[in-house]
Amino acid sequence: MKQLIINNVEFNVENFEEKTITHSTTGEQLKKIGFAFSVIGKKNYNLYDLFFESPDFELTIVDTNEKLKMKNISHSTFYQAAEISDDTKVVFRIKLQQELAKEKELTKDQKSLVNAVNEVVLSRVRFKALEEILEEKGLIKGNELFDKIEKVAKRDFDTLKKEVLYGKEEINNT
């Protein structure tokens, strides 16, 4: 029997299995742990069933004092009665997988680039939605919208670009 501590709760576990898997995207080696433990009674069943609804756990393997951040893969129960009573033995089967190591913190420039890309994508989504609404309501036809965009771009592109780069107040003060 092995002992585990999960989120500061001690478990005496049966059928402990530990595998190492390779994450398909990052190539990182991750631990996958499966184990079983038993409780007696409906109150304990409800308590542990709720406990293992959580998506994330901090796990310590007591024998090795190894501490791991884990995510919940699955949990199931088994009991041999029609209903769980105060003397029913319930076996829990738990599967956890180690979380990926935290991604490297982005630099200020990388964060700015990510924010800029997100803004561009969001603008395109908004534009596409607006275009679809106008077409669905029959307010625009064919190339009307794109012709208007071309006119406005010729007229206002440089001014709008400066506003984005330097802020509206800077441009108004020059």
Side-chain angles (χ1 to χ4, degrees):
M1 192 172 319
K2 235 184 192 354
Q3 190 174 24
L4 300 176
I5 299 173
I6 304 172
N7 291 0
N8 297 317
V9 176
E10 292 183 31
F11 291 85
N12 292 319
V13 302
E14 308 150 7
N15 303 326
F16 181 84
E17 290 181 14
E18 182 178 318
K19 290 193 265 183
T20 301
I21 61 168
T22 303
H23 190 269
S24 60
T25 311
T26 66
E28 187 176 343
Q29 298 290 300
L30 303 172
K31 291 197 177 185
K32 203 171 195 178
I33 292 176
F35 63 93
F37 70 96
S38 302
V39 298
I40 304 290
K42 189 171 188 163
K43 183 177 177 183
N44 285 327
Y45 162 79
N46 288 333
L47 180 71
Y48 287 102
D49 194 45
L50 185 61
F51 180 86
F52 282 103
E53 287 295 321
S54 176
D56 302 299
F57 299 103
E58 288 186 26
L59 175 124
T60 303
I61 301 172
V62 175
D63 295 349
T64 61
N65 203 32
E66 186 176 13
K67 297 178 187 312
L68 303 167
K69 295 245 185 233
M70 306 294 281
K71 64 180 180 178
N72 193 347
I73 302 273
S74 69
H75 82 278
S76 60
T77 57
F78 173 78
Y79 49 94
Q80 293 184 332
E83 281 189 22
I84 301 172
S85 65
D86 290 342
D87 59 350
T88 303
K89 179 180 178 181
V90 180
V91 177
F92 280 82
R93 292 183 183 96
I94 312 297
K95 290 184 182 177
L96 305 175
Q97 181 176 307
Q98 186 177 6
E99 291 184 2
L100 290 169
K102 228 179 185 178
E103 292 182 28
K104 192 172 84 176
E105 185 68 27
L106 297 176
T107 65
K108 187 177 179 182
D109 288 343
Q110 289 169 325
K111 286 179 185 175
S112 293
L113 180 60
V114 167
N115 288 339
V117 168
N118 287 341
E119 282 297 319
V120 167
V121 171
L122 187 56
S123 290
R124 292 189 70 182
V125 167
R126 287 178 180 144
F127 177 81
K128 185 97 175 113
L130 184 58
E131 176 189 18
E132 288 177 13
I133 287 172
L134 293 172
E135 285 177 352
E136 287 168 8
K137 293 187 179 249
L139 298 173
I140 60 169
K141 296 177 195 133
N143 288 329
E144 257 185 294
L145 181 62
F146 294 103
D147 292 343
K148 186 64 169 182
I149 289 170
E150 198 173 310
K151 280 183 187 175
V152 172
K154 285 179 184 173
R155 183 187 72 212
D156 296 342
F157 186 84
D158 289 334
T159 303
L160 294 170
K161 181 178 165 185
K162 287 176 185 171
E163 283 180 11
V164 168
L165 290 172
Y166 308 111
K168 208 170 191 172
E169 290 118 26
E170 286 288 321
I171 293 170
N172 290 337
N173 292 335
T174 56

